[in-house]
């Protein structure tokens, strides 16, 4: 059974705090992704990674960074959280080459006060 | 890069009626078009996909059509049921960027 897990379902942080969101997949997928989901805006790609220690910017990378030290784990970092980063964050993974199913994690709903 | 537009943003139908959701994409090189269903409080899950060498694909009550010339693709759900109520996302695989670009989502409500 395919599994993508995220460290927290709900998170409340204060403005200026450093926030870590963790994602783990057990499918040996090379590709991992972080999306942000906001009403009416769909899923917007923040960062993705093709391999360990490799990262690429997506459509909205500003204010975020990522880390991929191990193949199964992809972390999203908010260096200094701001209220406009309040959102649902979804992690996903798939195999390389395109045209493959992306599997999503359950999401982390982050509230920045 | 790729741009995907999805319409309508909300759709309300009576149980048993059909529902159609349409998406357009901008990059003619895109070659893979999945549809995801996200039920309330759950993760998006793939329900059907189509590749650019095919014009239509069906899976029971769900079908997807692709018009490469016009650069649009549609999701058709027949004989809708209350459990079809969810947010549906279309996406296009953008070869050059090696990533999926999602549409804005459609909230489908099926009234019993």
């Amino acid at each position: 059974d395919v599994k993508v897990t995220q460290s927290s379902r709900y998170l409340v942080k204060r403005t200026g705090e450093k926030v870590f969101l963790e994602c783990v997949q057990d499918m040996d997928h090379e590709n991992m992704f972080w999306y942000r989901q906001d009403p009416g805006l769909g899923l917007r790609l923040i960062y993705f990674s093709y391999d360990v220690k490799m990262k690429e910017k997506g459509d909205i990378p500003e204010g975020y960074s990522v880390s991929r030290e191990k193949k199964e784990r992809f972390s999203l970092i908010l260096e200094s959280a701001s209220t406009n980063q309040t959102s649902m964050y979804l992690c996903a993974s798939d195999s390389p080459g395109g045209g493959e199913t992306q599997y999503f994690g359950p999401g982390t709903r982050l509230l920045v006060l | 890069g790729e741009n995907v537009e999805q319409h309508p943003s909300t759709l309300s139908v009576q149980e048993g009626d059909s529902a159609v959701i349409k998406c357009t994409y901008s990059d003619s090189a895109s070659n893979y078009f999945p549809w995801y269903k996200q039920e309330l409080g759950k993760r998006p899950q793939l329900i059907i996909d189509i590749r650019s060498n095919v014009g239509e694909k069906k899976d029971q009550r769900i079908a997807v059509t692709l018009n490469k010339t016009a650069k649009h693709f549609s999701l058709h759900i027949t004989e809708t049921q209350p459990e079809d109520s969810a947010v549906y996302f279309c996406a296009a695989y953008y070869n050059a960027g090696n990533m999926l670009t999602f549409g804005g989502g459609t909230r489908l409500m099926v009234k019993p």
Side-chain angles (χ1 to χ4, degrees), chain B residues 39-53:
Chain B
E39 295 176 34
L40 190 62
K42 296 191 176 179
R43 71 193 75 193
Q45 293 199 297
L46 181 75
I47 54 171
I48 195 167
D49 56 14
I50 191 167
R51 298 180 193 275
S52 58
N53 58 349

Side-chain angles (χ1 to χ4, degrees), chain B:
Chain B
E2 177 65 280
N3 183 46
V4 177
E5 297 202 357
Q6 183 171 348
H7 298 281
S9 56
T10 59
L11 179 59
S12 181
V13 300
Q14 208 64 41
E15 182 177 358
D17 287 351
S18 294
V20 180
I21 302 170
K22 298 181 179 180
C23 289
T24 59
Y25 61 99
S26 60
D27 192 322
S28 56
S30 293
N31 59 3
Y32 173 65
F33 306 91
W35 285 88
Y36 286 80
K37 175 183 180 182
Q38 186 178 26
E39 295 176 34
L40 190 62
K42 296 191 176 179
R43 71 193 75 193
Q45 293 199 297
L46 181 75
I47 54 171
I48 195 167
D49 56 14
I50 191 167
R51 298 180 193 275
S52 58
N53 58 349
V54 174
E56 184 176 4
K57 184 176 178 181
K58 285 184 181 177
D59 183 3
Q60 299 181 356
R61 295 186 297 107
I62 294 173
V64 57
T65 57
L66 171 65
N67 183 327
K68 285 192 297 182
T69 305
K71 289 190 280 187
H72 67 70
F73 56 112
S74 300
L75 178 72
H76 304 252
I77 306 174
T78 58
E79 299 170 26
T80 53
Q81 300 166 5
E83 52 265 37
D84 294 328
S85 295
V87 177
Y88 291 81
F89 292 99
C90 64
Y93 179 72
Y94 176 48
N95 249 347
N98 198 17
M99 61 185 186
L100 282 177
T101 299
F102 286 85
T106 296
R107 181 172 298 280
L108 173 64
M109 293 168 283
V110 180
K111 298 179 201 172

Side-chain angles (χ1 to χ4, degrees), chain A residues 8-65:
Chain A
S8 306
R9 291 300 305 273
Y10 302 95
L11 214 47
V12 181
K13 296 291 180 181
R14 296 213 173 271
T15 302
E17 277 193 82
K18 191 168 186 175
V19 182
F20 292 88
L21 302 182
E22 300 262 309
C23 175
V24 178
Q25 51 94 5
D26 67 356
M27 295 162 285
D28 203 35
H29 282 162
E30 284 80 1
N31 299 339
M32 295 188 75
F33 307 83
W34 275 106
Y35 293 94
R36 174 176 169 158
Q37 183 175 19
D38 299 290
L41 296 176
L43 294 161
R44 293 181 293 167
L45 183 64
I46 304 171
Y47 267 98
F48 60 106
S49 169
Y50 295 130
D51 202 350
V52 175
K53 296 193 186 296
M54 182 274 171
K55 62 184 178 185
E56 290 285 342
K57 292 180 180 179
D59 298 321
I60 51 165
E62 295 78 20
Y64 303 95
S65 62

